[in-house]
Amino acid sequence: MENYRTIDFNENVLENILKNNYSDIYDEMIKEDYILEYNSFVEFRELLYKNKIVGFLTLDTFLHSDFLLCLNECYILPEYRGKGILVNIINELLEDETQRFYIRKPNFNFIKFLLKYGYAFEVAPDIISSYIKFIIKGEETYSNKKIKRLYYKLNSNSKELVYYTAAFHMDYCSIFGVDPLTEIAKEDNTLIFTLPRKCDLKRFNLRKKLKNLSVNKIMEIHFDFAINKDKIAKFNNKLSSKLNGSNDDVLIIGHGDETLVFENLKPNDAVKIENAVENEIKNGNLNFSSGNIRFEYLLNNPEKINKTVNLEENSEDIDLCPFCGESIEDEEYCKKCGQQIKPLSMKSLLKDFLKSMKR
């Protein structure tokens, strides 16, 4: 028996759809102070129990990529909660190899659902690690007078940055994680926290508690989470095997219209690629101009990150690039992978560096 059906609407403003088509659900949401925060969506699903409509969820894509899918809003009538209506849906989304599935800033009740059905576990008191990553934007991060010295003031760029993390603090109803880009946090090992969902903020009267969030408390939370990294990895690996799917991280570079999403990479691969390119420049296999080409090539071919070529063993009169196999003519370097065809002297490298600085 199906536990959902997808419905197409001429408009995509969620609140209007609920008011006009699901008044019983909308009225119950108002009673419970469930506040919608994300009105747009690409897919609307009615949630069913024994063919009765008992709730809804919305899915959306982000960063201009159909590969990245997130759960924006989800609500089930109180009397139908705890019946596992969402479990098959979540499993289906996790096992779909054509996409990566995330949750957009979940509320307290959704975290309880994740805990109940084994998608998350309590790492330490009030600290939750989830197998399913959470999505937040820079504009959703939180600061107060006690911790503001840890962060930069948000600007138009940092507000639009997208972060994904797996950590949630139950006492603050807040997602937290590090900022590897140091666009918001001044140090890459400093935790950033989100504002809670509006419904949790009101339900648990969190404003005073958040104002008391201190630097020492942030350090304590970070320590409690970090010392359990092996336990977290074991939990994630076990669940990944059970689901017969993959929900690994992807590498996301940039933001807004300039965002690039690499589906077969993880964030740490960017560091490996940067180091590989730097070493190849030192070895004379790349120049400063072709280094950018090699970086982009390795982003799309990460299996070749550790490959290197000894140019002295190759003839100067070659038809194929010794690194990627692309046909070449009388060229200084391969236009596909950046491979230098002849070894560069230090004098040539310096000359090329000075030329790149003038651009």
Side-chain angles (χ1 to χ4, degrees):
M1 184 179 294
E2 290 291 331
N3 49 13
Y4 77 89
R5 59 172 167 247
T6 302
I7 307 295
D8 293 324
F9 292 98
N10 292 327
E11 66 170 320
N12 66 343
V13 179
L14 180 57
E15 187 161 12
N16 292 342
I17 289 171
L18 294 172
K19 283 181 180 178
N20 297 331
N21 300 277
Y22 306 93
S23 58
D24 55 334
I25 292 175
Y26 186 76
D27 290 343
E28 196 63 40
M29 289 169 56
I30 298 300
K31 288 180 185 177
E32 285 199 280
D33 288 323
Y34 183 94
I35 303 169
L36 295 171
E37 295 194 31
Y38 307 110
N39 256 311
S40 63
F41 60 89
V42 296
E43 185 175 333
F44 179 96
R45 294 185 180 183
E46 294 176 345
L47 301 180
L48 309 174
Y49 184 75
K50 296 182 179 179
N51 291 321
K52 176 181 172 62
I53 301 171
V54 299
F56 74 92
L57 64 79
T58 59
L59 299 169
D60 204 0
T61 56
F62 60 98
L63 292 177
H64 310 284
S65 173
D66 292 337
F67 180 74
L68 303 175
L69 190 70
C70 64
L71 177 68
N72 270 7
E73 299 285 355
C74 179
Y75 182 84
I76 298 175
L77 293 170
E79 60 267 33
Y80 294 97
R81 293 172 193 166
K83 298 184 182 297
I85 295 171
L86 281 177
V87 174
N88 290 337
I89 297 173
I90 297 296
N91 287 348
E92 179 184 287
L93 290 166
L94 288 172
E95 292 174 353
D96 187 347
E97 295 183 354
T98 66
Q99 64 189 26
R100 289 293 180 269
F101 174 62
Y102 301 85
I103 301 168
R104 185 77 184 269
K105 207 171 76 163
N107 63 10
F108 182 88
N109 282 346
F110 203 92
I111 296 297
K112 297 287 282 186
F113 161 80
L114 294 178
L115 289 168
K116 178 176 180 178
Y117 290 100
Y119 297 108
F121 77 105
E122 190 173 40
V123 173
D126 289 324
I127 298 176
I128 308 301
S129 178
S130 170
Y131 173 72
I132 309 171
K133 303 295 189 299
F134 309 133
I135 284 290
I136 60 168
K137 292 182 73 173
E139 64 185 4
E140 296 174 309
T141 54
Y142 174 77
S143 183
N144 63 33
K145 291 180 180 179
K146 294 183 178 182
I147 62 174
K148 67 178 183 178
R149 63 184 173 85
L150 300 177
Y151 311 109
Y152 297 113
K153 186 176 181 179
L154 292 176
N155 56 41
S156 57
N157 285 333
S158 58
K159 285 180 181 179
E160 292 302 312
L161 286 171
V162 172
Y163 293 90
Y164 49 104
T165 179
F168 187 92
H169 199 282
M170 298 293 275
D171 199 33
Y172 298 104
C173 294
S174 175
I175 297 167
F176 66 88
V178 295
D179 175 16
L181 302 174
T182 60
E183 292 280 353
I184 295 176
K186 294 179 180 179
E187 301 290 340
D188 60 8
N189 63 346
T190 298
L191 293 183
I192 56 175
F193 286 74
T194 64
L195 280 165
R197 279 271 185 155
K198 293 176 183 177
C199 53
D200 287 340
L201 197 63
K202 184 176 181 180
R203 175 186 176 188
F204 299 111
N205 194 22
L206 293 173
R207 295 188 185 279
K208 183 177 180 180
K209 188 171 290 186
L210 286 167
K211 285 181 180 179
N212 288 324
L213 180 63
S214 64
V215 173
N216 286 341
K217 185 62 178 179
I218 288 176
M219 293 173 64
E220 178 188 320
I221 293 169
H222 197 172
F223 177 79
D224 287 342
F225 192 82
I227 61 172
N228 286 287
K229 63 180 182 179
D230 291 340
K231 188 188 298 185
I232 293 169
K234 184 178 180 180
F235 173 83
N236 289 339
N237 290 335
K238 182 178 179 180
L239 191 52
S240 181
S241 300
K242 180 181 177 181
L243 290 170
N244 297 317
S246 174
N247 207 43
D248 291 336
D249 292 336
V250 296
L251 177 61
I252 301 172
I253 297 177
H255 56 85
D257 293 334
E258 298 179 352
T259 300
L260 299 175
V261 178
F262 296 90
E263 302 170 8
N264 54 347
L265 289 170
K266 296 182 179 181
N268 286 339
D269 287 333
V271 178
K272 295 178 183 177
I273 291 172
E274 186 177 18
N275 291 337
V277 171
E278 185 179 332
N279 288 333
E280 288 295 84
I281 290 175
K282 289 178 181 177
N283 293 335
N285 285 334
L286 300 171
N287 60 37
F288 288 96
S289 301
S290 63
N292 290 332
I293 298 174
R294 176 63 63 83
F295 189 88
E296 186 172 349
Y297 178 81
L298 291 178
L299 285 173
N300 292 289
N301 300 273
E303 71 279 1
K304 295 187 177 181
I305 290 175
N306 296 319
K307 181 175 180 178
T308 188
V309 172
N310 187 347
L311 292 176
E312 295 179 353
E313 295 178 358
N314 291 280
S315 168
E316 294 183 2
D317 300 319
I318 54 177
D319 299 321
L320 300 177
C321 171
F323 190 87
C324 69
E326 182 78 359
S327 296
I328 55 175
E329 297 179 0
D330 186 19
E331 298 171 339
E332 181 184 351
Y333 57 82
C334 175
K335 305 304 181 187
K336 181 177 180 180
C337 71
Q339 176 65 47
Q340 192 71 28
I341 304 306
K342 300 178 183 179
L344 281 168
S345 64
M346 287 304 296
K347 183 178 180 180
S348 298
L349 275 173
L350 180 59
K351 183 178 179 181
D352 182 70
F353 173 71
L354 293 173
K355 183 198 255 183
S356 68
M357 292 293 288
K358 292 178 180 178
R359 290 173 184 164

